[in-house]
Structures are given as structure tokens and as C-alpha cells.
Amino acid sequence: LPLVDVEVESKLLEESLKSDVFAQGHMWKAAMNVDYTGDLDQIIAPSVIIWGTNDTLFTHDDQKILMDEMKSSKRVFRTIKGAGYGLIWTHPQQVADFINTFVRSF
């Protein structure tokens, strides 16, 4: 698997360590307790969902809910085999290619 650039990874860790651990914990707890499923039908813009098959935070079933509930005129679902939750960092070229293809389809 492609790895995050060492300098970028170091900078992310450095910046993360500057924040208050209690604030971070509160933020994550609050974020995980919010359910926007009922609002998905309000998304009308064309949308591309890119999901990694090794994502352990959000499942394939979660992606199906997004696709089924969004009312956007154009919905595209793409997967990156072997990618986990942070696929924008581990598979940036594939993500960029999917997005570019999607945008150019208009």
C-alpha cells in the first residue's frame, strides 16, 4: 500500500498533539453520535462516493444507505480495493482520478 509522505505524517501528528485531548475526545464523541441519515434526501447535487474495501469505520452497507437515500440527479459509487478509511492519504492518485472522471462527465 502507498504510505503517507513521512513529512506530511509528522506534520499531522505534530499538529494533532497541539490540540487539547479532552476537546478532541468530546469532538469525536459528538461526531459519532450524530445521525444525518434523515437529511440525505436533501442532497441534490451530483455526488461521487469513494470507499475503501478495508474501511473498518464505515461499511459497504453504510455506503449503500448513502446511495439509496440521496436524491441527487447523478450518484456514482467507486471502490478502491484494499484501501482503508484514510484513502485520500493512502491512495491519492486513485481518488483524484475518480474525482476527475466524475467532474469531466458533465
Side-chain angles (χ1 to χ4, degrees):
L1 293 174
L3 299 175
V4 175
D5 181 273
V6 174
E7 289 180 39
V8 172
E9 183 179 31
S10 294
K11 189 64 173 174
L12 286 170
L13 179 59
E14 178 184 326
E15 292 300 316
S16 295
L17 292 173
K18 290 179 184 178
S19 64
D20 181 272
V21 68
F22 296 107
Q24 284 232 1
H26 180 72
M27 184 272 308
W28 278 108
K29 183 177 179 183
M32 297 308 289
N33 288 324
V34 175
D35 183 0
Y36 292 108
T37 308
D39 298 327
L40 291 173
D41 64 344
Q42 296 178 38
I43 299 173
I44 58 173
S47 305
V48 61
I49 297 170
I50 306 170
W51 177 72
T53 59
N54 287 355
D55 187 338
T56 57
L57 189 57
F58 297 102
T59 67
H60 187 268
D61 288 343
D62 294 329
Q63 312 315 307
K64 184 168 176 10
I65 290 169
L66 287 175
M67 291 295 291
D68 291 346
E69 297 298 323
M70 289 188 328
K71 303 301 181 203
S72 59
S73 59
K74 184 171 186 174
R75 297 180 305 280
V76 175
F77 179 70
R78 297 287 179 255
T79 61
I80 298 177
K81 186 176 181 176
Y85 174 72
L87 55 80
I88 62 171
W89 294 291
T90 59
H91 296 75
Q93 189 59 58
Q94 286 175 278
V95 171
D97 290 345
F98 282 146
I99 293 170
N100 284 331
T101 299
F102 180 72
V103 169
R104 288 186 176 128
S105 70
F106 293 96

